Structure formats: C-alpha cells, structure tokens
Amino acid sequence: MSAAEPLEAAQSVPAGGINLADFCRLTGINANLAMMNTPESPSARRQRSRQQLLEVIRRENGVTRADLSLITGLSRSAVAEAVQDLMNERLIAEDVLSGGRGVGRGRPSALLVATGGDGHVVGIDFDHERVTVAVAQVDGQIRAEEHAAVNVDSEAAAALDVAAGMVHRLLGQTGLSLGEIRAVAAGVPAPLDIKTSRIHQASVLSGWVGLDPARELADRLGRPVVIGNDADLGAAGELRFGVAKGARDFIYVKASEGIGAGLVLGGSVYRGAAGAAGEIGHTRLGEQGAWCRCGNRGCLETVVSSTLVRQLMREIGLPAGRDEIFPLAEVALHPVIGRFIAEAGRTLGRVLADLSNCLNPGLIVLGGELGTAGEALADGVRESINRYAQPAIATAVEVKLAALGLRSELLGAIGLAGQHALLEI
Ligand SMILES: [Zn+2]
C-alpha cells in the first residue's frame, strides 16, 4: 500500500462526519493509534488556543484577528471567540492609536495588543556598577523604582542582597506584599547558558561565574524569578515600549562599561547555540590594541565604553560622577568629549556595519550609557554604516537612539515578568 492511499480514502469520507471505526476501516489506520490522536477535549483545546493567541499577541506587539488566524492556523471563528474572551478579561485590547494594519489586502482592521490584566510584577536590572529595581503593573506602568550603586561585577552576593532588599522596600512603599507579585524578572550583564541559565563566561563577570541568578534571587524573595541577558532585555524593552515597536529585524546595542547586542530576528530574540549571541564588545579591531577583560587584545570594548568617557573627563579636569555625566548629551557638547563620542560612534559603526552585512537589520537602536550621548554618537554610527555596509543594506537600516534611555533593560525585565504573569493565567 502506498503512503498516499489512506489520505485518498480519507478524502472520500462523506460530508457530515464519520465514526472512529469507519475512519479506521477506510484509512487503514490502526484504531489504537487513532485513539492516541483523538482530539483533546474542547476545554483543553480552548485553553491551549488561548495561551497560543496570548503568546502571539505579546510577541507581535500589535496584530489583527486575521493575522492571528494566519499565524496560529486557528479558524477565524475560534480566534474571534478567544479574542472576545481575552478582551472581556482585559488581558488584551484593541489599539485605537495605531490606525490598524493587516497582512492581507483590504481595509486594515484593529490591532490587538496585550494589556496585561491586573496585578503587579517586579523588574530588576543588574548593571556593572548599579542595581535598579521597579515594581510595576503587569502592563508595564511603573509604580515605584529605586537604584543603588554596587560593584555588581565582583560582588555577586552583595548585589543580590541589595536587589532583594530594594524589592522589599519598594513593596513597603506601594503597600503590596510579595504574595501579590505575579512574576519577577531580572537582567544580568553577561551571557547566560541557554540550557542552565547560569553565567558561563569566566572572563566577563568574574564574581558571578557558575551562579544561578534566578535561583539565588528566588531563594531571597520566595518567588519564582526569570532571568535574561541585559542586552536581550534592552531589545525587548525598546520593542515593547520604545523606538523598536513593530520592528521584526533589529539590533539593540547596550553600550555602557561593556558593549553587548540584543539581536531580534524575525520578531524573536536570537540567543545562539549557547546563549551568548551578540557579544560584539569582543570584536577585535586589531592585533596590537589594549588588553581586554576577555583575555584578547584590541576588542571594541577597549576603545569604546562609558568607562573611557569617565576616564577622559577626569583627565581634563571635569567631574565624572554618575550625576555629572548622564545623560551624556550635555557632556558631549564639550569639544574634547564631543570628539571622543563621535569617534566612538564611528568605531562602533564599523563593527555594526559588518554585523549589518550579515543580518540585514531594518533598525539599529543605540542604548546604554553611551546611547544617552545623542546624535553625536548616532551620526558617527551612520557614517560608518554608510561607508562600510553594502549599499542596499546601509539603505535599509535606520539608526535610532534608545527611547527609554538608561531604562531599556529595566523595562525589558518588567515586560518579561509581565509576559510570565500572563502565561501563568
Ligand atoms: Zn574582549
């Protein structure tokens, strides 16, 4: 019997349905196998469809009912029914500001966006020298936020303790209890092993090697915690709340003490085989450059970083505390610092031109501390991309500054927490 025969038999089934025994007789499929493939119960199917739709609505950041049907393969009536339920529960809404769009032809229909429902989440951003914590509503609205200076890189336990203490303090301020927090998410400035979520690059964040940050935080908070790489979360933050709304192929660059990229390809964050994709700070610019913390010489980070801006400011007698230098746009008006920022932009742009030749992004978002330098940095990046990327690739890519400033990663963490809260419904 050829493989096509059962299908042909099945296609001859009369309209109006068929019982299981007749189906097996006509198709030659073993009855036990057919039983294994018996459709799940209607309520289980509705629950699965609902989860699937919520995931797509969150991921697409604005999608029509027709798009949902195309993407999920669910029937239009099943989509309409589930969408109405989700709207009744205030988990999604029609985005009246967008004006609508659709993947098909004809009149654009309303875009559906996730609203997050009720409840609160916690987002934590571990930067190299500072921890920021916020309590927010599931839809991303921040209720309270606080930051503290800590040597995050080398004092992991202290940084985790400080973060946990801040969570408790912010909950006190907002009158919430930990039990009312539906999810906690945190970003760390290091590659995370894709299988274990542990930090696995000894050279980059020495104090955290082998640590399981999610477990450590969960132990301190008594709540489950999801963890992400900071640049990936920065990309997610700008995608959901910032300049990358609706972008499907873009690069987010976190340029602070170190430089990392969050890669969004085809609408999803790309983490690579080991979870370490986007470590552009360790792109080598030459054989004879300064030594880098990764053990190589001449890495991008050794010539472009906010640490170097601070160092230069001190050398020319300018105060270089955090309050004095951020946002960098004002400091960049100084002729010496301005030249450094412009050159930093061109050097960063050289690396981003090569990356663009590989990935053909539609957008590059410049975030992190250097991202606060304004157009001086962005102009340098554009100059190098126009000079070194293939013309068609250079034409396709827009370069923008992060809309969320130093909070892209924090808002990405809040978004991630909100996403987990939604998936648990
Ligand atoms: Zn390096």
Side-chain angles (χ1 to χ4, degrees):
M1 181 190 286
S2 83
E5 280 173 359
L7 268 182
E8 284 162 6
Q11 282 159 5
S12 69
V13 168
I18 186 171
N19 66 36
L20 180 63
D22 287 341
F23 176 79
C24 293
R25 184 173 50 75
L26 279 167
T27 61
I29 291 174
N30 178 287
N32 288 333
L33 284 175
M35 286 294 283
M36 284 172 64
N37 291 326
T38 298
E40 58 198 329
S41 70
S43 65
R45 191 170 59 241
R46 269 200 303 277
Q47 180 62 17
R48 194 166 54 81
S49 305
R50 165 196 170 92
Q51 293 283 20
Q52 197 182 358
L53 290 170
L54 256 181
E55 280 177 45
V56 174
I57 293 167
R58 291 299 308 271
R59 190 181 70 224
E60 297 294 319
N61 204 29
V63 63
T64 65
R65 288 169 178 79
D67 292 341
L68 284 173
S69 183
L70 281 175
I71 293 167
T72 62
L74 294 169
S75 70
R76 287 195 172 219
S77 59
V79 167
E81 189 183 343
V83 160
Q84 193 55 52
D85 286 348
L86 292 168
M87 286 178 70
N88 291 343
E89 293 168 53
R90 296 192 297 123
L91 294 172
I92 63 171
E94 289 186 338
D95 181 4
V96 292
L97 297 176
S98 66
R101 69 167 166 77
V103 294
R105 284 177 295 175
R107 189 175 66 85
S109 49
L111 287 182
L112 300 165
V113 292
T115 58
D118 298 322
H120 291 84
V121 296
V122 165
I124 302 172
D125 174 31
F126 289 99
D127 205 346
H128 292 279
E129 295 176 0
R130 161 173 140 132
V131 180
T132 309
V133 176
V135 172
Q137 291 168 199
V138 174
D139 65 3
Q141 198 77 30
I142 291 181
R143 292 276 311 276
E145 180 181 338
E146 186 175 295
H147 56 83
V150 194
N151 187 343
V152 170
D153 288 9
S154 54
E155 295 171 19
L160 290 160
D161 288 342
V162 166
M166 288 161 78
V167 172
H168 288 293
R169 208 160 35 248
L170 290 176
L171 288 177
Q173 284 175 23
T174 49
L176 294 164
S177 69
L178 258 177
E180 292 173 274
I181 296 301
R182 292 177 51 192
V184 179
V188 291
L192 290 162
D193 188 300
I194 205 156
K195 293 194 184 84
T196 64
S197 287
R198 288 172 187 265
I199 289 165
H200 68 126
Q201 272 208 5
S203 50
V204 174
L205 205 61
S206 55
W208 293 65
V209 176
L211 268 188
D212 181 344
R215 167 74 60 84
E216 294 284 337
L217 274 171
D219 286 349
R220 284 166 171 80
L221 294 174
R223 302 290 300 156
V225 177
V226 281
I227 212 90
N229 168 263
D230 60 348
D232 289 346
L233 289 185
E238 290 294 331
L239 180 63
R240 179 144 182 230
F241 303 107
V243 290
K245 277 183 186 171
R248 293 190 59 79
D249 297 283
F250 76 96
I251 299 168
Y252 170 82
V253 181
K254 183 187 177 191
S256 291
E257 287 96 342
I259 299 182
L263 310 174
V264 176
L265 305 176
S268 304
V269 169
Y270 176 77
R271 297 185 59 206
E279 289 295 306
I280 62 168
H282 302 283
T283 305
R284 292 185 78 180
L285 303 175
E287 298 291 321
Q288 301 302 320
W291 285 101
C292 178
R293 62 194 169 119
C294 74
N296 277 328
R297 295 180 72 170
C299 292
L300 174 63
E301 280 188 15
T302 64
V303 287
V304 178
S305 76
S306 53
T307 311
L308 292 170
V309 177
R310 286 194 180 95
Q311 191 180 313
L312 186 58
M313 287 178 69
R314 281 192 290 269
E315 282 171 12
I316 59 176
L318 294 173
R322 192 174 184 86
D323 291 342
E324 280 99 22
I325 75 170
F326 297 116
L328 278 169
E330 277 183 41
V331 178
L333 297 176
H334 187 284
V336 173
I337 306 299
R339 285 170 74 177
F340 177 91
I341 296 288
E343 182 61 20
R346 286 190 287 271
T347 309
L348 178 59
R350 181 74 182 83
V351 170
L352 291 173
D354 289 347
L355 190 58
S356 297
N357 278 338
C358 287
L359 301 178
N360 187 198
L363 172 67
I364 291 174
V365 180
L366 304 174
E369 293 174 342
L370 288 180
T372 66
E375 289 303 318
L377 182 85
D379 286 345
V381 171
R382 285 188 198 104
E383 189 181 320
S384 284
I385 287 178
N386 289 335
R387 168 69 183 81
Y388 296 108
Q390 287 298 297
I393 284 168
T395 305
V397 64
E398 269 191 283
V399 177
K400 291 183 180 176
L401 298 164
L404 307 172
L406 295 175
R407 296 161 86 225
S408 310
E409 290 75 21
L410 177 70
L411 281 156
I414 289 168
L416 178 64
Q419 200 172 332
H420 275 258
L422 282 177
L423 294 178
E424 282 169 13
I425 293 168

